[in-house]
């Protein structure tokens, strides 16, 4: 059993991703946005958004011999202190990126870098988004090292040479693919001989 944290800026698609791939009815802590949050939660670029996560999202996904417990973080910077609790015992993280509001991705990227947790970046393409960016452009914009996987498109595994489609947090197979990429990346990033013994990540760590 492995714990995974899904982070990203306000409105980047975290709740959607967890809900799309979870094999159980996901636990959600969404609340309606009110006028009281107007000064702290900018809706620029996501004007249609009416709710926001105030604690975390939780879902579960079984893949082959893996059982993943998914924790989606609240997106606003003022909730970063909560991210530390959600990340405790996690094998790695996913940063969801909305290129319409790229600056909102800096905080989750810095967070995972600061705590030393392996992570991957997935660009969530929203309907109506005009520009499509190459992974190298995203890597440069977020100042990511070459070792961090950046996913912008998905190629159908059953059709060699088929045109890739934009990664979409609403698509269960797209989300599952990113999670598998994260697990592989985390395994490669783990030290071969840890300096200090660590306990196996289980649901108790969640």
């Amino acid at each position: 059993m492995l714990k995974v944290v899904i982070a990203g800026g306000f409105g980047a698609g975290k709740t959607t991703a967890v809900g799309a791939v979870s094999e159980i009815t996901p636990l959600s802590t969404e609340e309606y946005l009110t006028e009281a949050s107007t000064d702290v939660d900018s809706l620029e670029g996501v004007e249609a958004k009416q709710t926001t996560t105030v604690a975390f999202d939780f879902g579960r996904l079984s893949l082959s011999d893996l059982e993943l417990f998914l924790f989606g973080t609240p997106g606003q910077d003022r909730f970063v202190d909560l991210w530390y609790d959600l990340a405790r015992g996690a094998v790695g993280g996913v940063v969801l990126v909305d290129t319409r509001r790229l600056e909102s991705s800096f905080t989750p990227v810095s967070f995972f870098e600061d705590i030393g947790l392996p992570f991957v970046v997935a660009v969530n393409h929203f309907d109506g988004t005009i520009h499509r960016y190459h992974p190298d452009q995203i890597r440069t914009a977020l100042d990511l090292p070459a070792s961090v996987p950046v996913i912008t498109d998905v190629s159908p595994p059953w059709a060699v040479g088929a045109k890739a489609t934009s990664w979409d947090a609403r698509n269960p197979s797209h989300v599952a693919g990113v999670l598998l990429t994260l697990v592989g990346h985390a395994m490669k990033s783990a030290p071969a001989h840890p300096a200090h013994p660590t306990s196996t990540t289980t649901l108790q760590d969640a």
Side-chain angles (χ1 to χ4, degrees), residues 48-62:
K49 188 171 177 59
Q50 297 181 336
T51 60
T52 185
T53 299
V54 296
F56 62 88
D57 301 306
F58 173 75
R60 185 185 71 201
L61 175 65
S62 299

Side-chain angles (χ1 to χ4, degrees), residues 14-16 27-33 49-57:
K14 302 174 294 296
T15 299
T16 299
L27 169 65
S28 178
T29 59
E30 287 207 307
E31 295 292 343
Y32 282 101
L33 292 166
K49 188 171 177 59
Q50 297 181 336
T51 60
T52 185
T53 299
V54 296
F56 62 88
D57 301 306

Side-chain angles (χ1 to χ4, degrees), residues 73-87:
T73 69
Q76 298 93 320
D77 288 356
R78 68 177 186 274
F79 290 120
V80 168
D81 286 346
L82 177 60
W83 296 8
Y84 288 95
D85 292 329
L86 294 177

Side-chain angles (χ1 to χ4, degrees), residues 148-167:
V148 175
V150 177
I151 298 95
T152 59
D153 300 295
V154 179
S155 298
W158 59 86
V160 177
K163 183 178 180 180
T165 58
S166 298
W167 194 88

Side-chain angles (χ1 to χ4, degrees), residues 103-188:
E103 68 281 356
S104 67
S105 303
F106 296 149
T107 296
V109 167
S110 296
F111 173 78
F112 287 133
E113 290 178 338
D114 289 345
I115 66 174
L117 193 67
F119 68 97
V120 301
V121 169
V123 177
N124 188 18
H125 291 287
F126 289 81
D127 294 337
T129 302
I130 299 175
H131 298 290
R132 294 289 188 269
Y133 298 94
H134 188 275
D136 289 343
Q137 292 176 294
I138 301 296
R139 187 182 306 281
T140 299
L142 296 178
D143 194 22
L144 299 171
S147 59
V148 175
V150 177
I151 298 95
T152 59
D153 300 295
V154 179
S155 298
W158 59 86
V160 177
K163 183 178 180 180
T165 58
S166 298
W167 194 88
D168 191 333
R170 298 170 297 185
N171 189 311
S173 65
H174 289 193
V175 179
V178 161
L179 293 173
L180 284 174
T181 299
L182 170 64
V183 171
H185 175 58
M187 293 178 64
K188 292 178 182 177

